[in-house]
Amino acid sequence: MIQSMTGFGKSITQIPNKKITVELKSLNSKNFDLNARIPSQYREKELDLRNIISNSLGRGKVDLSIYVEYTGEQTSTNVNTEVVKNYMNQLRDIVNASEVELLKMAVKMPDSLKTERDEIDEEEFKAIEGAVKDALTEINGFRNDEGKALEKDLNLRISNIKSLLEEVIKIDPDRVEAVRERIRKGIEEIKEQADESRFEQEIVYYIEKFDITEEKVRLDNHLDYFQKTLNTEDSNGRKLAFISQEIGREINTIGSKSNYAPMQQLVVQMKDELEKIKEQILNIL
């Protein structure tokens, strides 16, 4: 089952005096790329969180956001009383204002408020770790759901290419006959008498040169292998991308060898379907 690299997950956990919200968002990327926006007191645990997320998501451009809301009386920001009093004393000599107005001005001055760095304890980190894992569960569910939609679309595109390939196989005898007739008319136009045996030899040589039997067989095999890979348990976007390149190579060769307008039109349609497949594969894990 394939999995998309796009997803979103959110989890909220409550600990004494704090409400912690964890959000995860992922987009497609060739590698794992984490952008963490977390409070400074959790920075020392960033590597641990990175490993947890990497092991779960594998690849993708991931944004991790952790928000902390203080819900109790405890706060990490305190008034620097002595500094505020000193500012108020200085301001009295400058402006004629009430004590309340002086206080409002003083607390806006540098160093009036001091923030003490909270130390994270193991219980708090376990709560954060649990919230991250809950968010990962949600984002992986999102990825799986989108993966199902991608799988359905890719199967449709492959089936369309198979149908077009059947049309190519069906009109191939007409193509060969058209080539034969084109050569015959060319000889008649230059009014040259051609030896029938020699003519047939040249026809055989020309037809063999532009024979697409091998390409048709290989293309059919690649299409089957693509669908087989889609149905495996593991999501493997890189492998699907490689197979799609091989599919494109065979389609291009058929187009260059065809020399027959109806077949070239079918090739254009196959290329169109393949481009849509390649666009979707970019988002597969």
Side-chain angles (χ1 to χ4, degrees):
M1 181 182 71
I2 65 173
Q3 191 180 52
S4 168
M5 279 190 280
T6 302
F8 178 80
K10 181 178 180 179
S11 177
I12 299 174
T13 187
Q14 186 78 46
I15 60 175
N17 299 316
K18 291 179 184 178
K19 178 175 132 181
I20 299 174
T21 303
V22 174
E23 290 183 357
L24 281 168
K25 181 175 69 174
S26 70
L27 299 172
N28 61 300
S29 177
K30 289 183 178 180
N31 302 300
F32 178 75
D33 180 18
L34 178 67
N35 177 34
R37 293 190 293 272
I38 60 178
S40 58
Q41 65 264 33
Y42 301 149
R43 284 292 172 188
E44 63 186 79
K45 298 292 187 179
E46 183 178 340
L47 183 59
D48 295 331
L49 296 175
R50 179 182 293 272
N51 290 335
I52 292 170
I53 296 169
S54 175
N55 291 335
S56 178
L57 299 183
R59 283 197 297 143
K61 181 177 175 59
V62 182
D63 288 326
L64 165 67
S65 300
I66 298 179
Y67 306 101
V68 178
E69 179 183 343
Y70 289 91
T71 57
E73 296 179 357
Q74 184 180 356
T75 176
S76 60
T77 302
N78 298 308
V79 176
N80 200 336
T81 307
E82 293 302 320
V83 173
V84 171
K85 286 181 178 179
N86 188 31
Y87 279 134
M88 291 179 69
N89 290 333
Q90 294 180 55
L91 288 168
R92 284 192 188 94
D93 298 332
I94 301 172
V95 295
N96 183 17
S98 66
E99 291 294 304
V100 174
E101 292 299 321
L102 290 174
L103 179 60
K104 287 181 180 179
M105 288 185 280
V107 294
K108 294 179 181 179
M109 298 294 185
D111 300 323
S112 294
L113 301 176
K114 57 182 178 181
T115 301
E116 297 178 357
R117 187 177 182 275
D118 289 341
E119 295 295 330
I120 183 172
D121 59 37
E122 287 304 315
E123 289 301 317
E124 184 174 341
F125 178 67
K126 284 181 181 178
I128 294 170
E129 190 179 60
V132 169
K133 289 179 178 178
D134 289 342
L136 285 170
T137 299
E138 186 173 325
I139 198 173
N140 278 321
F142 194 104
R143 282 176 151 201
N144 288 334
D145 290 341
E146 189 164 323
K148 291 176 183 177
L150 285 173
E151 184 176 347
K152 183 178 179 181
D153 184 73
L154 289 173
N155 272 315
L156 174 63
R157 303 295 174 193
I158 291 295
S159 296
N160 289 344
I161 295 177
K162 280 191 170 187
S163 297
L164 291 166
L165 177 58
E166 289 174 2
E167 290 296 316
V168 167
I169 294 171
K170 184 178 178 181
I171 67 172
D172 197 27
D174 296 335
R175 177 185 73 99
V176 173
E177 186 57 37
V179 169
R180 185 189 297 272
E181 187 62 27
R182 193 158 58 240
I183 295 175
R184 189 182 297 278
K185 284 184 178 179
I187 292 175
E188 289 176 355
E189 286 176 2
I190 60 176
K191 297 181 180 179
E192 288 287 341
Q193 186 66 33
D195 178 78
E196 192 65 27
S197 176
R198 174 73 180 188
F199 174 75
E200 286 300 326
Q201 289 177 5
E202 292 296 328
I203 288 290
V204 170
Y205 170 78
Y206 189 81
I207 296 302
E208 285 181 350
K209 185 178 179 182
F210 291 94
D211 181 66
I212 59 171
T213 302
E214 291 184 7
E215 286 77 11
K216 290 184 293 185
V217 172
R218 284 198 296 265
L219 177 55
D220 190 48
N221 288 337
H222 291 329
L223 294 172
D224 287 339
Y225 190 40
F226 190 99
Q227 287 186 312
K228 182 180 178 181
T229 304
L230 269 182
N231 295 326
T232 57
E233 291 185 5
D234 297 328
S235 182
N236 198 333
R238 288 192 175 102
K239 188 174 183 179
L240 291 173
F242 174 75
I243 300 171
S244 68
Q245 288 177 357
E246 295 302 308
I247 291 172
R249 185 175 289 111
E250 302 305 333
I251 291 174
N252 288 334
T253 305
I254 290 173
S256 63
K257 283 186 173 183
S258 66
N259 273 330
Y260 187 54
M263 186 175 289
Q264 287 173 334
Q265 291 171 5
L266 293 172
V267 167
V268 169
Q269 293 178 58
M270 285 194 282
K271 286 183 177 181
D272 183 51
E273 294 291 343
L274 183 61
E275 282 304 309
K276 293 173 182 175
I277 288 172
K278 288 181 176 179
E279 288 175 7
Q280 299 285 37
I281 287 175
L282 291 175
N283 197 32
I284 295 177
L285 181 63

